[in-house]
Amino acid sequence: GDLLEHMATRPSPGGFWTWIYNNLPFGFGGPEQYFDYPLYDADERALEKFYLYNGFPDVKVLKTFEFTDDSLGIDATISIVEGQPSYIDSVNIRNVSDVAPDVLRQIMDDRILKKGQQVRAADIKAEERRILSILHNNGYPRATADSVVVERKRSTNNSTVKLRFNHGRQLYFGTISDSVSGDYSLN
Protein backbone atom coordinates (compact mmCIF):
# COMPACT_ATOMS: atom_id res chain seq x y z
CA GLY A 1 0.00 0.00 0.00
CA ASP A 2 2.77 2.47 0.89
CA LEU A 3 4.55 1.75 -2.38
CA LEU A 4 1.40 2.14 -4.49
CA GLU A 5 0.79 5.55 -2.90
CA HIS A 6 4.06 6.72 -4.47
CA MET A 7 3.28 5.39 -7.94
CA ALA A 8 1.26 6.97 -10.74
CA THR A 9 1.09 3.79 -12.87
CA ARG A 10 -2.08 1.85 -12.12
CA PRO A 11 -3.54 -1.37 -13.48
CA SER A 12 -6.82 -1.21 -15.37
CA PRO A 13 -9.81 -2.58 -13.51
CA GLY A 14 -11.25 -5.81 -14.86
CA GLY A 15 -13.44 -5.58 -17.98
CA PHE A 16 -16.65 -5.95 -15.97
CA TRP A 17 -15.75 -3.03 -13.65
CA THR A 18 -14.73 -0.85 -16.59
CA TRP A 19 -18.09 -1.58 -18.28
CA ILE A 20 -19.97 -0.65 -15.07
CA TYR A 21 -17.95 2.58 -14.77
CA ASN A 22 -18.67 3.54 -18.40
CA ASN A 23 -22.34 2.50 -18.53
CA LEU A 24 -23.95 2.82 -15.11
CA PRO A 25 -24.24 5.88 -12.83
CA PHE A 26 -23.27 4.01 -9.64
CA GLY A 27 -19.70 5.29 -9.44
CA PHE A 28 -18.27 1.78 -9.12
CA GLY A 29 -15.34 0.41 -11.06
CA GLY A 30 -12.96 2.72 -12.82
CA PRO A 31 -11.76 3.90 -16.20
CA GLU A 32 -9.28 1.96 -18.28
CA GLN A 33 -5.69 2.84 -17.48
CA TYR A 34 -3.24 3.28 -20.33
CA PHE A 35 0.48 2.66 -20.10
CA ASP A 36 2.43 5.92 -19.98
CA TYR A 37 6.19 5.33 -20.12
CA PRO A 38 7.19 8.75 -18.68
CA LEU A 39 4.93 8.08 -15.67
CA TYR A 40 6.36 4.58 -15.33
CA ASP A 41 9.86 6.06 -15.46
CA ALA A 42 8.89 8.63 -12.80
CA ASP A 43 7.57 5.78 -10.62
CA GLU A 44 11.07 4.29 -10.56
CA ARG A 45 12.53 7.55 -9.24
CA ALA A 46 9.69 8.01 -6.74
CA LEU A 47 10.21 4.53 -5.31
CA GLU A 48 13.98 5.06 -5.05
CA LYS A 49 13.35 8.31 -3.17
CA PHE A 50 10.83 6.60 -0.87
CA TYR A 51 13.37 3.91 0.04
CA LEU A 52 16.22 6.40 0.46
CA TYR A 53 14.07 8.49 2.82
CA ASN A 54 13.28 5.36 4.82
CA GLY A 55 16.84 4.27 5.49
CA PHE A 56 17.80 2.10 2.51
CA PRO A 57 20.74 3.97 0.91
CA ASP A 58 21.70 1.15 -1.49
CA VAL A 59 18.25 0.46 -2.92
CA LYS A 60 18.01 -0.66 -6.54
CA VAL A 61 14.70 -0.26 -8.37
CA LEU A 62 14.52 -2.17 -11.64
CA LYS A 63 11.62 -1.86 -14.06
CA THR A 64 10.67 -3.95 -17.07
CA PHE A 65 7.58 -4.27 -19.23
CA GLU A 66 6.45 -6.57 -21.98
CA PHE A 67 3.38 -6.91 -24.14
CA THR A 68 0.86 -9.55 -23.17
CA ASP A 69 0.39 -12.59 -25.41
CA ASP A 70 -2.60 -10.98 -27.14
CA SER A 71 -0.60 -7.71 -27.62
CA LEU A 72 -3.50 -5.72 -26.16
CA GLY A 73 -1.94 -5.06 -22.80
CA ILE A 74 1.33 -4.60 -21.01
CA ASP A 75 2.71 -6.47 -18.02
CA ALA A 76 4.77 -3.96 -16.07
CA THR A 77 7.12 -5.25 -13.39
CA ILE A 78 9.02 -3.28 -10.78
CA SER A 79 11.63 -5.21 -8.78
CA ILE A 80 13.10 -3.68 -5.66
CA VAL A 81 16.36 -4.81 -4.10
CA GLU A 82 16.35 -2.99 -0.77
CA GLY A 83 19.90 -3.64 0.34
CA GLN A 84 20.82 -3.30 4.01
CA PRO A 85 19.03 -0.62 6.04
CA SER A 86 21.04 2.13 7.68
CA TYR A 87 20.71 2.63 11.44
CA ILE A 88 21.50 5.68 13.56
CA ASP A 89 24.96 5.47 15.07
CA SER A 90 24.82 8.85 16.79
CA VAL A 91 22.83 12.08 16.85
CA ASN A 92 24.59 15.44 17.14
CA ILE A 93 22.46 18.44 18.02
CA ARG A 94 24.64 21.43 17.28
CA ASN A 95 24.68 25.05 18.36
CA VAL A 96 22.36 24.64 21.37
CA SER A 97 24.92 24.22 24.14
CA ASP A 98 24.63 27.87 25.16
CA VAL A 99 20.84 27.99 25.60
CA ALA A 100 19.40 28.17 29.12
CA PRO A 101 20.12 24.94 31.07
CA ASP A 102 16.44 24.04 31.53
CA VAL A 103 15.84 24.48 27.78
CA LEU A 104 18.87 22.32 26.95
CA ARG A 105 17.56 19.63 29.31
CA GLN A 106 14.19 19.66 27.48
CA ILE A 107 15.96 19.33 24.14
CA MET A 108 18.04 16.37 25.31
CA ASP A 109 15.17 14.55 27.07
CA ASP A 110 12.55 12.52 25.18
CA ARG A 111 14.40 12.64 21.88
CA ILE A 112 12.74 11.05 18.87
CA LEU A 113 16.03 10.02 17.27
CA LYS A 114 17.86 7.31 19.18
CA LYS A 115 20.93 5.22 18.57
CA GLY A 116 20.09 1.95 16.85
CA GLN A 117 16.85 3.01 15.18
CA GLN A 118 16.52 2.93 11.41
CA VAL A 119 17.24 6.20 9.61
CA ARG A 120 13.97 7.72 8.41
CA ALA A 121 13.52 11.20 6.97
CA ALA A 122 10.12 11.58 8.68
CA ASP A 123 11.69 10.93 12.11
CA ILE A 124 14.50 13.39 11.44
CA LYS A 125 11.98 16.06 10.41
CA ALA A 126 9.89 15.34 13.53
CA GLU A 127 12.98 15.74 15.74
CA GLU A 128 13.80 19.04 14.05
CA ARG A 129 10.21 20.28 14.66
CA ARG A 130 10.32 19.10 18.29
CA ILE A 131 13.52 21.03 19.02
CA LEU A 132 12.26 24.16 17.26
CA SER A 133 9.04 23.98 19.27
CA ILE A 134 11.00 23.77 22.52
CA LEU A 135 13.15 26.75 21.52
CA HIS A 136 10.17 28.83 20.36
CA ASN A 137 8.20 28.08 23.54
CA ASN A 138 11.10 28.97 25.83
CA GLY A 139 12.04 32.46 24.74
CA TYR A 140 13.80 31.84 21.44
CA PRO A 141 11.13 32.94 18.93
CA ARG A 142 13.70 33.59 16.21
CA ALA A 143 15.14 30.07 16.34
CA THR A 144 15.56 28.34 12.98
CA ALA A 145 16.87 25.02 11.77
CA ASP A 146 20.14 25.67 9.98
CA SER A 147 20.94 22.30 8.44
CA VAL A 148 20.39 18.58 8.62
CA VAL A 149 23.21 16.29 7.53
CA VAL A 150 23.08 12.50 7.50
CA GLU A 151 26.57 11.03 7.14
CA ARG A 152 26.70 7.35 6.30
CA LYS A 153 29.71 5.27 7.26
CA ARG A 154 30.41 2.77 4.49
CA SER A 155 32.21 0.41 6.87
CA THR A 156 29.15 -0.18 9.09
CA ASN A 157 26.36 1.24 6.88
CA ASN A 158 25.28 3.22 9.96
CA SER A 159 24.67 6.95 9.94
CA THR A 160 25.39 9.98 12.06
CA VAL A 161 22.58 12.53 12.07
CA LYS A 162 23.69 16.13 12.57
CA LEU A 163 21.05 18.77 13.33
CA ARG A 164 22.21 22.38 13.52
CA PHE A 165 20.14 25.28 14.83
CA ASN A 166 20.41 29.05 15.07
CA HIS A 167 18.57 30.03 18.23
CA GLY A 168 19.31 33.74 18.53
CA ARG A 169 18.95 35.66 21.76
CA GLN A 170 16.55 34.53 24.48
CA LEU A 171 13.81 37.13 24.80
CA TYR A 172 11.71 37.96 27.85
CA PHE A 173 8.48 39.83 28.43
CA GLY A 174 9.10 43.28 29.82
CA THR A 175 7.06 45.09 32.44
CA ILE A 176 3.38 44.51 31.92
CA SER A 177 1.08 47.40 32.69
CA ASP A 178 -2.60 48.02 32.33
CA SER A 179 -3.91 51.54 31.83
CA VAL A 180 -7.17 53.12 30.78
CA SER A 181 -7.30 56.42 28.95
CA GLY A 182 -10.10 58.49 27.49
CA ASP A 183 -13.45 59.74 28.76
CA TYR A 184 -15.84 57.15 30.02
CA SER A 185 -19.21 57.84 31.49
CA LEU A 186 -21.46 55.36 33.18
CA ASN A 187 -25.14 56.07 32.69
Side-chain angles (χ1 to χ4, degrees), residues 15-66:
F16 173 73
W17 293 109
T18 302
W19 183 87
I20 286 180
Y21 179 83
N22 290 332
N23 295 298
L24 299 175
F26 302 134
F28 294 118
E32 290 181 306
Q33 299 292 318
Y34 297 99
F35 184 71
D36 183 341
Y37 188 80
L39 279 181
Y40 189 54
D41 204 37
D43 286 344
E44 177 184 26
R45 290 187 302 278
L47 290 173
E48 281 178 350
K49 187 175 180 181
F50 173 76
Y51 270 89
L52 286 171
Y53 283 11
N54 283 286
F56 292 90
D58 295 324
V59 67
K60 301 278 187 272
V61 178
L62 311 166
K63 63 184 185 340
T64 60
F65 67 93
E66 58 186 34

Side-chain angles (χ1 to χ4, degrees), residues 83-149:
Q84 292 298 315
S86 182
Y87 295 97
I88 295 175
D89 197 33
S90 61
V91 179
N92 297 329
I93 302 171
R94 297 180 171 197
N95 202 25
V96 294
S97 60
D98 58 342
V99 297
D102 59 321
V103 177
L104 183 59
R105 193 171 23 266
Q106 287 180 53
I107 290 171
M108 298 317 245
D109 291 346
D110 299 323
R111 292 188 294 178
I112 294 171
L113 299 178
K114 295 179 175 73
K115 182 178 180 174
Q117 92 183 56
Q118 192 167 332
V119 175
R120 289 181 16 133
D123 293 340
I124 294 170
K125 193 67 176 165
E127 182 72 20
E128 181 182 70
R129 283 191 307 266
R130 182 189 75 84
I131 293 169
L132 281 174
S133 177
I134 290 169
L135 290 169
H136 290 160
N137 290 324
N138 286 282
Y140 298 93
R142 297 181 183 135
T144 58
D146 183 330
S147 62
V148 175
V149 176

